């Protein structure tokens, strides 16, 4: 197993567990996954432009900026449509799959 992305893989796995292990709405599951996703930094994908872009897209959909990232991500997820929330959850799962 590639140790290069071990921290990102660990946090994305925790996010996937939050997404899968609840009967709550997809928006609430994304809120639960926020802390795991935000523990990953884009710098962890330095040297791999494709992974960097995929992770940036996840952050963009969460609406993350440089202010209070946790609060912004929580508020954004809370008001997402089901379609957008499912799309974001799918991107998280796809990125984790690529890191396996």
């Amino acid at each position: 197993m590639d140790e290069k992305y071990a921290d990102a893989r660990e946090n994305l796995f925790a996010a996937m567990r939050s997404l899968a292990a609840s009967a709550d709405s997809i928006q609430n599951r994304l809120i639960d996954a926020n802390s795991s996703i935000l523990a990953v930094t884009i710098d962890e994908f330095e040297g791999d432009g494709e992974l960097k872009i995929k992770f940036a897209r996840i952050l963009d959909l969460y609406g993350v900026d440089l202010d209070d990232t946790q609060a912004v991500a929580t508020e954004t997820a809370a008001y997402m449509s089901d379609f957008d929330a499912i799309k974001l959850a799918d991107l998280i799962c796809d990125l984790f799959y690529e890191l396996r």
Side-chain angles (χ1 to χ4, degrees):
M1 186 182 299
D2 186 8
E3 292 302 316
K4 183 176 182 180
Y5 303 116
D7 187 55
R9 191 172 26 257
E10 180 181 329
N11 284 301
L12 288 169
F13 181 72
M16 286 183 43
R17 287 186 61 121
S18 294
L19 293 170
S22 173
D24 287 342
S25 71
I26 186 67
Q27 291 84 355
N28 285 341
R29 289 182 277 159
L30 283 170
I31 290 168
D32 291 342
N34 278 351
S35 59
S36 298
I37 295 296
L38 296 176
V40 179
T41 66
I42 201 158
D43 294 335
E44 292 181 56
F45 304 111
E46 195 64 43
D48 191 327
E50 186 177 331
L51 291 176
K52 201 173 202 179
I53 289 169
K54 288 180 180 194
F55 185 65
R57 187 162 181 224
I58 290 169
L59 294 179
D60 186 50
L61 288 173
Y62 261 124
V64 171
D65 58 18
L66 297 178
D67 294 331
D68 188 357
T69 57
Q70 185 71 35
V72 170
T74 298
E75 186 171 336
T76 300
Y79 292 103
M80 278 184 178
S81 67
D82 287 346
F83 177 81
D84 288 338
I86 290 168
K87 181 169 68 171
L88 177 54
D90 191 42
L91 290 172
I92 293 166
C93 294
D94 286 348
L95 182 57
F96 174 76
Y97 181 77
E98 288 197 36
L99 297 180
R100 295 181 325 130

